[in-house]
Amino acid sequence: TGTAAATGISVSDGIPANTTYNAASLTVTGGGGGVVTDDTGDPLTVTGAVLAGGASMTVEFDVTID
């Protein structure tokens, strides 16, 4: 909480067991700055995000259940 921005945010999330990642479905909504996404491995990663105080960011991806 507060008014200061969070910088250099990194988020990673593993692909759940018994699922297959749907290529190119990793999306970031909100946030700002030099957001870099990498969906070439497991875990999927988002780096370099900046988030203003009180703001939110959503990271989503799709999988298919095996």
Side-chain angles (χ1 to χ4, degrees):
T1 58
T3 58
T7 60
I9 298 170
S10 296
V11 177
S12 64
D13 195 6
I15 299 167
N18 302 312
T19 66
T20 301
Y21 171 67
N22 294 337
S25 68
L26 179 62
T27 60
V28 179
T29 305
V35 176
V36 176
T37 60
D38 181 1
D39 67 352
T40 60
D42 186 4
L44 307 172
T45 61
V46 174
T47 57
V50 175
L51 196 57
S56 64
M57 179 175 74
T58 303
V59 177
E60 297 178 289
F61 61 92
D62 297 330
V63 296
T64 300
I65 298 172
D66 295 337

